[in-house]
Amino acid sequence: MIVDFICQSNFGRSEGGRETWAYQFLPALLARRKDVLLRVYGQRRPEQPDTTEALRAAAAPHADRLRSHFLPATQGRWPLPIAMIRAFVAHKRRETQPAADVTIAAGSVIELLALLASRRARRTFRVLWLRGIWFNEKADRVPRPLHGLLRRLEIAVLRRAHLVLANGDDIAAHYGAYGIPVTVIKNAVDLARWEMPAPRLVEPVQVAFIGRLTPEKGILDFLAIARAMRDTPDRDRFVFRVMGFGREEEATRAAVERGDVVWTGPVAYDEMPAVLRDVDVCAAFTFAAAVGGGGGTSNAMLEQMAAGRVMLAWDNAIFRQWLDGNNAFLVPQGDVAAAVDALRAIADDRQVAMARAKAGSARVADFGVPRMMERFDAVLAPAMAARR
């Protein structure tokens, strides 16, 4: 069986949640299905490193059944998503190998558009594995008069998939409201990798934001919380740490200059467990919103829960899939004052905070990679049989 996998990514191990998931799913697929030849199609800008060997190393000892193709992209005449679609179509036109039996478009409507745009590639069983709610994430960058049109276009394209998967119940509910059936397969976490001692929770308490520095991920709110705390008598009880890169680097740099936060930039994949050992509290601040919001399950959050860190999160549909008042500190979305109060509660009662962190670790204990793959096999085979 030939399986194509399309994702608008360079597959850098430290790039984000999609990449973390891909490095779990792709090797597991090759290990589980000895009959699969896997062809991966990504996108690489000129300044990005070549990750071919990283993918092959992750797939060992099955790398002989892995082929990777990185489509060129330059920021210029075409936006990167359009460049990805055009390059994929051109590549497929030149390709002499047999057509795929199954194609997995992983990410959003963009990857599915690339698949559909190629006459040769679309003659396949089409799986769309959603990693978020595309329009919600992009809507704040699109003129409002175009919102309705883009929403309708997204839904129309999604209907062309034969099977739609998602990593979160919130994604399934969102697209289900438009009549698109979505099957949820929860993200997996490498439990052994995140085994570590419990957080120390001694003052100053180490509070971390780990992820892309974008408004929808909540970095601006994290900076506001750090700033608000510095104006209180409790300012010396906490250290606020930022780890990541993204659109709001200027705002983060300004917070560093004010002395509000410590910013270490992105953390390499191999270094993250050691870094997380020195963190007490992790912020999970992705917004659930129709404009400028996100969706799905955060791989970083699952890793932080598995590591037994204390979770401070928005009380929204994204995080309610995993977190509640027994295993995390939930505050109203966007409520800076409530988050400041929650941090005080964590510092004031170490025993309660530790109990919730332990409960969070127990919550993810049954979500290893084998479970994710079992669920995928159980869904894919009947769906393909129904199309024959």
Side-chain angles (χ1 to χ4, degrees), residues 201 203 205 229 234 237-238 281 310 312 329 331 338-354 356:
L201 280 173
E203 296 184 12
V205 175
M229 188 66 79
D234 297 306
R237 302 180 69 190
F238 302 91
V281 181
V310 181
L312 172 65
F329 289 80
V331 297
V340 169
D341 288 341
L343 287 172
R344 287 198 189 100
I346 291 169
D348 288 343
D349 197 330
R350 181 179 183 273
Q351 188 173 359
V352 168
M354 294 286 281
R356 294 192 192 185

mmCIF file of all heavy atoms in Angstrom, residues 201 203 205 229 234 237-238 281 310 312 329 331 338-354 356:
data_model
loop_
_atom_site.group_PDB
_atom_site.id
_atom_site.type_symbol
_atom_site.label_atom_id
_atom_site.label_comp_id
_atom_site.label_asym_id
_atom_site.label_seq_id
_atom_site.Cartn_x
_atom_site.Cartn_y
_atom_site.Cartn_z
ATOM 1 N N LEU A 201 7.990 23.742 43.405
ATOM 2 C CA LEU A 201 7.039 24.732 43.901
ATOM 3 C C LEU A 201 7.561 25.491 45.111
ATOM 4 O O LEU A 201 6.841 25.740 46.071
ATOM 5 C CB LEU A 201 5.687 24.083 44.224
ATOM 6 C CG LEU A 201 4.760 23.828 43.032
ATOM 7 C CD1 LEU A 201 3.537 23.035 43.455
ATOM 8 C CD2 LEU A 201 4.342 25.149 42.392
ATOM 9 N N GLU A 203 9.462 29.114 46.270
ATOM 10 C CA GLU A 203 9.533 30.466 45.727
ATOM 11 C C GLU A 203 10.973 30.859 45.395
ATOM 12 O O GLU A 203 11.894 30.497 46.131
ATOM 13 C CB GLU A 203 8.904 31.439 46.726
ATOM 14 C CG GLU A 203 7.423 31.161 46.931
ATOM 15 C CD GLU A 203 6.754 32.172 47.858
ATOM 16 O OE1 GLU A 203 7.371 33.219 48.165
ATOM 17 O OE2 GLU A 203 5.619 31.914 48.285
ATOM 18 N N VAL A 205 8.275 30.796 42.370
ATOM 19 C CA VAL A 205 7.627 29.777 41.550
ATOM 20 C C VAL A 205 7.907 30.071 40.073
ATOM 21 O O VAL A 205 7.767 31.205 39.616
ATOM 22 C CB VAL A 205 6.112 29.763 41.814
ATOM 23 C CG1 VAL A 205 5.407 28.796 40.868
ATOM 24 C CG2 VAL A 205 5.833 29.391 43.267
ATOM 25 N N MET A 229 1.432 41.139 37.815
ATOM 26 C CA MET A 229 2.012 40.598 39.035
ATOM 27 C C MET A 229 3.125 41.486 39.564
ATOM 28 O O MET A 229 3.302 41.629 40.786
ATOM 29 C CB MET A 229 2.521 39.176 38.790
ATOM 30 C CG MET A 229 2.979 38.455 40.045
ATOM 31 S SD MET A 229 1.636 38.106 41.211
ATOM 32 C CE MET A 229 0.898 36.658 40.445
ATOM 33 N N ASP A 234 3.370 40.621 45.597
ATOM 34 C CA ASP A 234 3.792 39.238 45.346
ATOM 35 C C ASP A 234 4.782 39.116 44.187
ATOM 36 O O ASP A 234 5.110 38.010 43.762
ATOM 37 C CB ASP A 234 2.567 38.371 45.015
ATOM 38 C CG ASP A 234 1.590 38.286 46.172
ATOM 39 O OD1 ASP A 234 2.027 37.908 47.269
ATOM 40 O OD2 ASP A 234 0.406 38.607 45.970
ATOM 41 N N ARG A 237 7.590 36.572 44.221
ATOM 42 C CA ARG A 237 7.254 35.167 44.464
ATOM 43 C C ARG A 237 7.233 34.340 43.178
ATOM 44 O O ARG A 237 7.117 33.116 43.234
ATOM 45 C CB ARG A 237 5.885 35.069 45.141
ATOM 46 C CG ARG A 237 5.789 35.816 46.470
ATOM 47 C CD ARG A 237 4.404 35.672 47.077
ATOM 48 N NE ARG A 237 4.160 34.308 47.535
ATOM 49 C CZ ARG A 237 2.960 33.854 47.924
ATOM 50 N NH1 ARG A 237 1.912 34.656 47.858
ATOM 51 N NH2 ARG A 237 2.813 32.612 48.347
ATOM 52 N N PHE A 238 7.340 35.003 42.021
ATOM 53 C CA PHE A 238 7.206 34.307 40.738
ATOM 54 C C PHE A 238 8.273 34.767 39.751
ATOM 55 O O PHE A 238 8.701 35.918 39.770
ATOM 56 C CB PHE A 238 5.816 34.574 40.123
ATOM 57 C CG PHE A 238 4.674 34.174 41.002
ATOM 58 C CD1 PHE A 238 4.116 35.087 41.887
ATOM 59 C CD2 PHE A 238 4.164 32.890 40.963
ATOM 60 C CE1 PHE A 238 3.054 34.731 42.707
ATOM 61 C CE2 PHE A 238 3.106 32.516 41.779
ATOM 62 C CZ PHE A 238 2.543 33.442 42.652
ATOM 63 N N VAL A 281 4.887 25.706 36.915
ATOM 64 C CA VAL A 281 3.542 25.965 36.388
ATOM 65 C C VAL A 281 3.646 26.228 34.886
ATOM 66 O O VAL A 281 4.489 27.018 34.444
ATOM 67 C CB VAL A 281 2.894 27.177 37.076
ATOM 68 C CG1 VAL A 281 1.492 27.422 36.535
ATOM 69 C CG2 VAL A 281 2.863 26.983 38.594
ATOM 70 N N VAL A 310 2.115 21.758 37.074
ATOM 71 C CA VAL A 310 0.855 22.385 37.434
ATOM 72 C C VAL A 310 0.344 23.158 36.215
ATOM 73 O O VAL A 310 1.084 23.950 35.624
ATOM 74 C CB VAL A 310 1.030 23.349 38.629
ATOM 75 C CG1 VAL A 310 -0.313 23.979 39.006
ATOM 76 C CG2 VAL A 310 1.639 22.620 39.823
ATOM 77 N N LEU A 312 -2.077 25.923 34.438
ATOM 78 C CA LEU A 312 -2.914 27.117 34.555
ATOM 79 C C LEU A 312 -3.488 27.359 33.167
ATOM 80 O O LEU A 312 -2.738 27.610 32.216
ATOM 81 C CB LEU A 312 -2.091 28.311 35.013
ATOM 82 C CG LEU A 312 -2.792 29.674 35.006
ATOM 83 C CD1 LEU A 312 -3.940 29.704 36.008
ATOM 84 C CD2 LEU A 312 -1.798 30.801 35.305
ATOM 85 N N PHE A 329 -5.727 24.487 37.296
ATOM 86 C CA PHE A 329 -6.305 25.744 37.763
ATOM 87 C C PHE A 329 -6.881 26.440 36.530
ATOM 88 O O PHE A 329 -6.138 26.936 35.682
ATOM 89 C CB PHE A 329 -5.236 26.604 38.449
ATOM 90 C CG PHE A 329 -4.796 26.068 39.778
ATOM 91 C CD1 PHE A 329 -3.867 25.030 39.849
ATOM 92 C CD2 PHE A 329 -5.318 26.578 40.962
ATOM 93 C CE1 PHE A 329 -3.464 24.517 41.074
ATOM 94 C CE2 PHE A 329 -4.922 26.067 42.194
ATOM 95 C CZ PHE A 329 -3.992 25.030 42.249
ATOM 96 N N VAL A 331 -9.219 29.340 34.693
ATOM 97 C CA VAL A 331 -9.698 30.710 34.894
ATOM 98 C C VAL A 331 -10.445 31.146 33.639
ATOM 99 O O VAL A 331 -10.216 30.616 32.554
ATOM 100 C CB VAL A 331 -8.531 31.686 35.177
ATOM 101 C CG1 VAL A 331 -7.817 31.298 36.469
ATOM 102 C CG2 VAL A 331 -7.539 31.711 34.015
ATOM 103 N N ALA A 338 -7.963 37.095 37.224
ATOM 104 C CA ALA A 338 -8.237 35.756 37.742
ATOM 105 C C ALA A 338 -7.005 34.873 37.658
ATOM 106 O O ALA A 338 -6.755 34.047 38.557
ATOM 107 C CB ALA A 338 -9.399 35.125 36.972
ATOM 108 N N ALA A 339 -6.220 35.023 36.605
ATOM 109 C CA ALA A 339 -4.990 34.244 36.477
ATOM 110 C C ALA A 339 -3.986 34.627 37.553
ATOM 111 O O ALA A 339 -3.297 33.763 38.117
ATOM 112 C CB ALA A 339 -4.383 34.444 35.091
ATOM 113 N N VAL A 340 -3.889 35.920 37.857
ATOM 114 C CA VAL A 340 -3.006 36.377 38.937
ATOM 115 C C VAL A 340 -3.444 35.763 40.262
ATOM 116 O O VAL A 340 -2.614 35.271 41.052
ATOM 117 C CB VAL A 340 -3.003 37.917 39.014
ATOM 118 C CG1 VAL A 340 -2.318 38.392 40.294
ATOM 119 C CG2 VAL A 340 -2.301 38.503 37.788
ATOM 120 N N ASP A 341 -4.751 35.745 40.522
ATOM 121 C CA ASP A 341 -5.265 35.147 41.760
ATOM 122 C C ASP A 341 -4.966 33.650 41.812
ATOM 123 O O ASP A 341 -4.637 33.104 42.878
ATOM 124 C CB ASP A 341 -6.770 35.378 41.874
ATOM 125 C CG ASP A 341 -7.126 36.831 42.176
ATOM 126 O OD1 ASP A 341 -6.231 37.576 42.641
ATOM 127 O OD2 ASP A 341 -8.292 37.211 41.947
ATOM 128 N N ALA A 342 -5.086 32.967 40.666
ATOM 129 C CA ALA A 342 -4.806 31.528 40.633
ATOM 130 C C ALA A 342 -3.344 31.249 40.947
ATOM 131 O O ALA A 342 -3.020 30.287 41.664
ATOM 132 C CB ALA A 342 -5.179 30.955 39.268
ATOM 133 N N LEU A 343 -2.448 32.077 40.424
ATOM 134 C CA LEU A 343 -1.029 31.900 40.727
ATOM 135 C C LEU A 343 -0.755 32.102 42.207
ATOM 136 O O LEU A 343 0.044 31.366 42.816
ATOM 137 C CB LEU A 343 -0.189 32.864 39.886
ATOM 138 C CG LEU A 343 -0.074 32.510 38.402
ATOM 139 C CD1 LEU A 343 0.617 33.630 37.636
ATOM 140 C CD2 LEU A 343 0.683 31.195 38.215
ATOM 141 N N ARG A 344 -1.412 33.061 42.813
ATOM 142 C CA ARG A 344 -1.258 33.243 44.267
ATOM 143 C C ARG A 344 -1.735 31.998 45.010
ATOM 144 O O ARG A 344 -1.096 31.558 45.975
ATOM 145 C CB ARG A 344 -2.078 34.459 44.724
ATOM 146 C CG ARG A 344 -1.493 35.808 44.332
ATOM 147 C CD ARG A 344 -2.106 36.901 45.200
ATOM 148 N NE ARG A 344 -1.729 38.219 44.724
ATOM 149 C CZ ARG A 344 -2.493 39.002 43.979
ATOM 150 N NH1 ARG A 344 -3.704 38.578 43.613
ATOM 151 N NH2 ARG A 344 -2.084 40.190 43.591
ATOM 152 N N ALA A 345 -2.852 31.431 44.552
ATOM 153 C CA ALA A 345 -3.381 30.232 45.205
ATOM 154 C C ALA A 345 -2.401 29.073 45.085
ATOM 155 O O ALA A 345 -2.225 28.285 46.031
ATOM 156 C CB ALA A 345 -4.727 29.859 44.586
ATOM 157 N N ILE A 346 -1.745 28.956 43.951
ATOM 158 C CA ILE A 346 -0.747 27.900 43.757
ATOM 159 C C ILE A 346 0.415 28.082 44.720
ATOM 160 O O ILE A 346 0.865 27.125 45.371
ATOM 161 C CB ILE A 346 -0.258 27.899 42.298
ATOM 162 C CG1 ILE A 346 -1.381 27.443 41.363
ATOM 163 C CG2 ILE A 346 0.971 27.011 42.127
ATOM 164 C CD1 ILE A 346 -1.100 27.658 39.880
ATOM 165 N N ALA A 347 0.912 29.297 44.818
ATOM 166 C CA ALA A 347 2.049 29.559 45.709
ATOM 167 C C ALA A 347 1.661 29.426 47.180
ATOM 168 O O ALA A 347 2.473 29.006 48.005
ATOM 169 C CB ALA A 347 2.601 30.960 45.435
ATOM 170 N N ASP A 348 0.413 29.765 47.514
ATOM 171 C CA ASP A 348 -0.028 29.728 48.912
ATOM 172 C C ASP A 348 -0.282 28.320 49.419
ATOM 173 O O ASP A 348 -0.140 28.055 50.622
ATOM 174 C CB ASP A 348 -1.314 30.549 49.083
ATOM 175 C CG ASP A 348 -1.080 32.050 48.980
ATOM 176 O OD1 ASP A 348 0.094 32.467 49.100
ATOM 177 O OD2 ASP A 348 -2.051 32.789 48.764
ATOM 178 N N ASP A 349 -0.700 27.409 48.522
ATOM 179 C CA ASP A 349 -1.053 26.052 48.962
ATOM 180 C C ASP A 349 -0.371 25.039 48.041
ATOM 181 O O ASP A 349 -0.959 24.544 47.081
ATOM 182 C CB ASP A 349 -2.566 25.859 48.955
ATOM 183 C CG ASP A 349 -2.998 24.650 49.790
ATOM 184 O OD1 ASP A 349 -2.198 23.683 49.880
ATOM 185 O OD2 ASP A 349 -4.107 24.666 50.348
ATOM 186 N N ARG A 350 0.858 24.742 48.362
ATOM 187 C CA ARG A 350 1.651 23.826 47.553
ATOM 188 C C ARG A 350 1.010 22.449 47.484
ATOM 189 O O ARG A 350 1.054 21.781 46.449
ATOM 190 C CB ARG A 350 3.057 23.733 48.147
ATOM 191 C CG ARG A 350 4.024 22.832 47.391
ATOM 192 C CD ARG A 350 5.392 22.854 48.065
ATOM 193 N NE ARG A 350 6.346 22.054 47.326
ATOM 194 C CZ ARG A 350 6.516 20.735 47.504
ATOM 195 N NH1 ARG A 350 5.755 20.097 48.390
ATOM 196 N NH2 ARG A 350 7.425 20.081 46.799
ATOM 197 N N GLN A 351 0.395 22.003 48.576
ATOM 198 C CA GLN A 351 -0.185 20.667 48.630
ATOM 199 C C GLN A 351 -1.325 20.514 47.620
ATOM 200 O O GLN A 351 -1.403 19.508 46.904
ATOM 201 C CB GLN A 351 -0.682 20.364 50.040
ATOM 202 C CG GLN A 351 -1.130 18.920 50.241
ATOM 203 C CD GLN A 351 -1.446 18.609 51.700
ATOM 204 O OE1 GLN A 351 -1.316 19.468 52.561
ATOM 205 N NE2 GLN A 351 -1.860 17.387 51.973
ATOM 206 N N VAL A 352 -2.195 21.495 47.546
ATOM 207 C CA VAL A 352 -3.303 21.440 46.581
ATOM 208 C C VAL A 352 -2.759 21.461 45.157
ATOM 209 O O VAL A 352 -3.207 20.708 44.290
ATOM 210 C CB VAL A 352 -4.273 22.611 46.819
ATOM 211 C CG1 VAL A 352 -5.256 22.733 45.652
ATOM 212 C CG2 VAL A 352 -5.028 22.417 48.123
ATOM 213 N N ALA A 353 -1.793 22.333 44.895
ATOM 214 C CA ALA A 353 -1.220 22.430 43.560
ATOM 215 C C ALA A 353 -0.576 21.116 43.139
ATOM 216 O O ALA A 353 -0.745 20.653 41.997
ATOM 217 C CB ALA A 353 -0.198 23.563 43.514
ATOM 218 N N MET A 354 0.145 20.485 44.051
ATOM 219 C CA MET A 354 0.797 19.214 43.729
ATOM 220 C C MET A 354 -0.230 18.119 43.460
ATOM 221 O O MET A 354 -0.041 17.283 42.569
ATOM 222 C CB MET A 354 1.712 18.810 44.884
ATOM 223 C CG MET A 354 2.899 19.742 45.093
ATOM 224 S SD MET A 354 4.170 19.549 43.831
ATOM 225 C CE MET A 354 4.991 18.074 44.415
ATOM 226 N N ARG A 356 -3.225 18.483 42.207
ATOM 227 C CA ARG A 356 -3.816 18.692 40.880
ATOM 228 C C ARG A 356 -2.838 18.301 39.776
ATOM 229 O O ARG A 356 -3.230 17.734 38.755
ATOM 230 C CB ARG A 356 -4.268 20.142 40.724
ATOM 231 C CG ARG A 356 -5.405 20.519 41.658
ATOM 232 C CD ARG A 356 -6.036 21.848 41.296
ATOM 233 N NE ARG A 356 -6.910 22.321 42.354
ATOM 234 C CZ ARG A 356 -7.672 23.394 42.299
ATOM 235 N NH1 ARG A 356 -7.645 24.148 41.189
ATOM 236 N NH2 ARG A 356 -8.432 23.756 43.307
#
